[in-house]
Amino acid sequence: MILETKNNSMAGGRALKCNETFKSRLANDSGVASSPRAQQNQPSDMELMKEKFAKLLLGEDMSGGGKGVSSALALSNSITNLAASVFGELKRLEPMPAETKAKWRKEIGWLLSVTDHIVEFVPCNQKSKDGTNMEVMITKQRSDLQMNIPALRKLDAMLVDCLDSFKDQSEFSYVSKDDQSEDGKNSRNDDKWWIPTPKVPPNGLSDPMRKWLQFQKDSVNQVHKAAMAINAQVLSEMEIPESYIESLPKKGRASLGDSIYKSITDEYFDPDYFFTTMDLSSEHKIVDLKNRIEASVVIWRRKMNAKDGKSTWGSAVSFEKREIFEERAELVLLILKQRFPGIPQSTLDISKIQYNRDLGQAVLESYSRIIESRAFTIMSRIEDVLQADARAQNPSNGEVKKSLPDTEEVGKTLLDFIGWSADQEDNNTKKDLKEDSTKDVDSKLLCKPHNIVTNKRFSYLENLGMCRSPTARH
């Protein structure tokens, strides 16, 4: 009897506690002021930061079973998921709420603070008390982080300021999909049906507003290209996992297929003709082409680096021809990156991120990727408004050409935001493009192809689906 009474009292206590918790949440959700006791129970910033870093140290496995991911992958996931929770899908050109903006700046600052402790030893001259000079080694933040983290922070702030600049505009508004009015009937009916349709005056936007929108679009485009260049550089420096190499065939031809291999290894390679022969009508086909070409580049590089002729990665093709094939394949990858800036990451990129163990590279890659995705989304929203303006001016044919980043301007754009010197620009240009003006084949190799556009717009956050990443990212 005593045991039964004790059990009843414990159950009643649990029920009372659950009711108090439910009432507290209900009061907060309904806007009712909570009690001082409830406010005291809210965790402080220090407690939130400790909880976030505890999850990082456990590799996102809070069960304690030791099944967590690496610290680098956990940090990359945290930055990606934070951006997804704060920004999600930017549906309108409007300022961020003050609370959301404060949360983003605070929590991204926590995650980026890890890079302050990733250092390297550098020589430094010191003068002792007796006046003698000696050279000692001191610690300094790693050079790639010291250069790119401030640049990415600036690009991030520029995107936030761009959204804030739409605060006082009154020339265009948005029509909800659920709007039953005459304007609602004209809402978009495409693959982005959930995004509100921009509404402009009957005669279109004013000239100053149109020019200002175009200026904002160009500015965001510069941010997008700079973030894309940093992300591509970081990914290129990541080590290729052994698991990816083991999955490759022994010949580049087996990866490419006969038709693609013949086009790339032909005596005269024309990028214009190559892309006209490729089927790039869907996202899946674009990613498949990218995966095939990236695999062939890895195979050819290993063949060129194979010192032992009897090695399984050896090749009967001459070193010079193999190098030309690799340059052509890299050119195709560069064009794909520029013409389809929002395509999902390739199998090689996902594998690099998943098996990467460098915390600094993990931060740079994830931070630059979310900035690139957000800039691309903002550009798409601005283009939606410009298209609505074009339709208002010319209802019969109101299409605006959606511009994509130009391949030749990526290096120049990166200089503007990071401040590289002219010598560094020349060295990196030579390193990336391997251009030799004395070779006729290279002049044919680097000719600019026609613009290729798809019917869809993609974003990294959209493909993430607001879920954890990057085990099955993109």
Side-chain angles (χ1 to χ4, degrees), residues 258-457:
D258 293 336
S259 60
I260 301 178
Y261 180 83
K262 183 177 180 181
S263 299
I264 292 181
T265 60
D266 196 7
E267 183 178 0
Y268 297 102
F269 175 69
D270 186 358
D272 289 335
Y273 178 75
F274 176 81
F275 279 99
T276 57
T277 59
M278 294 294 104
D279 184 7
L280 304 175
S281 57
S282 66
E283 171 191 357
H284 173 75
K285 294 178 180 178
I286 297 172
V287 176
D288 180 67
L289 176 61
K290 186 177 180 182
N291 287 333
R292 289 172 176 270
I293 296 180
E294 282 186 341
S296 66
V297 170
V298 175
I299 294 172
W300 287 336
R301 284 178 181 173
R302 292 184 66 86
K303 286 180 180 294
M304 288 190 294
N305 295 332
K307 298 180 180 179
D308 184 5
K310 298 181 181 180
S311 172
T312 57
W313 290 98
S315 174
V317 182
S318 65
F319 181 89
E320 291 76 11
K321 286 187 176 181
R322 188 70 63 192
E323 189 175 20
I324 292 176
F325 298 162
E326 180 193 347
E327 288 179 352
R328 292 175 176 179
E330 288 179 344
L331 175 63
V332 173
L333 290 175
L334 180 64
I335 294 172
L336 285 174
K337 180 71 174 177
Q338 302 305 317
R339 295 296 180 264
F340 308 101
I343 60 174
Q345 288 175 315
S346 63
T347 303
L348 177 59
D349 293 342
I350 295 174
S351 182
K352 283 183 175 181
I353 295 171
Q354 185 174 358
Y355 292 96
N356 172 52
R357 295 296 182 267
D358 190 310
L359 288 174
Q361 289 181 338
V363 172
L364 289 177
E365 190 282 326
S366 56
Y367 194 28
S368 60
R369 172 168 38 80
I370 63 175
I371 292 176
E372 175 188 342
S373 175
R374 187 156 32 113
F376 186 81
T377 305
I378 294 176
M379 280 197 300
S380 299
R381 301 296 165 265
I382 296 177
E383 287 169 350
D384 289 342
V385 178
L386 293 176
Q387 276 194 334
D389 174 57
R391 284 192 297 267
Q393 291 181 329
N394 187 6
S396 60
N397 186 19
E399 290 295 327
V400 176
K401 182 180 179 181
K402 294 196 173 186
S403 60
L404 295 176
D406 189 359
T407 306
E408 299 175 355
E409 297 180 0
V410 175
K412 180 180 178 182
T413 303
L414 193 58
L415 295 177
D416 298 334
F417 291 101
I418 298 181
W420 285 353
S421 63
D423 295 336
Q424 287 172 313
E425 178 187 7
D426 293 338
N427 293 335
N428 283 277
T429 304
K430 292 177 182 178
K431 180 181 177 181
D432 295 337
L433 298 180
K434 300 177 182 178
E435 183 176 3
D436 187 357
S437 59
T438 61
K439 295 181 180 180
D440 295 336
V441 65
D442 286 344
S443 62
K444 189 69 176 176
L445 178 69
L446 297 176
C447 61
K448 187 177 178 182
H450 296 302
N451 288 336
I452 304 173
V453 296
T454 57
N455 296 326
K456 290 183 65 178
R457 286 284 193 178

Side-chain angles (χ1 to χ4, degrees), residues 28-67:
N28 292 335
D29 292 341
S30 59
V32 180
S34 59
S35 62
R37 182 177 179 182
Q39 293 179 357
Q40 292 177 359
N41 293 333
Q42 293 180 355
S44 62
D45 287 348
M46 181 62 69
E47 293 174 344
L48 291 174
M49 184 173 64
K50 288 181 178 179
E51 180 182 0
K52 184 176 289 291
F53 279 98
K55 292 180 180 179
L56 291 177
L57 289 174
L58 292 174
E60 299 178 342
D61 179 23
M62 302 302 291
S63 66
K67 298 180 180 179

Side-chain angles (χ1 to χ4, degrees), residues 93 158-166 172 208-224 375 378-379 382-383 386:
L93 293 173
M158 291 177 66
L159 293 180
V160 175
D161 292 342
C162 176
L163 292 176
D164 289 342
S165 64
F166 287 93
F172 66 88
M209 185 64 179
R210 192 178 300 111
K211 293 179 181 178
W212 181 77
L213 277 176
Q214 187 62 45
F215 171 77
Q216 293 294 331
K217 177 185 171 184
D218 294 339
S219 300
V220 176
N221 190 22
Q222 299 298 312
V223 175
H224 177 266
I378 294 176
M379 280 197 300
I382 296 177
E383 287 169 350
L386 293 176

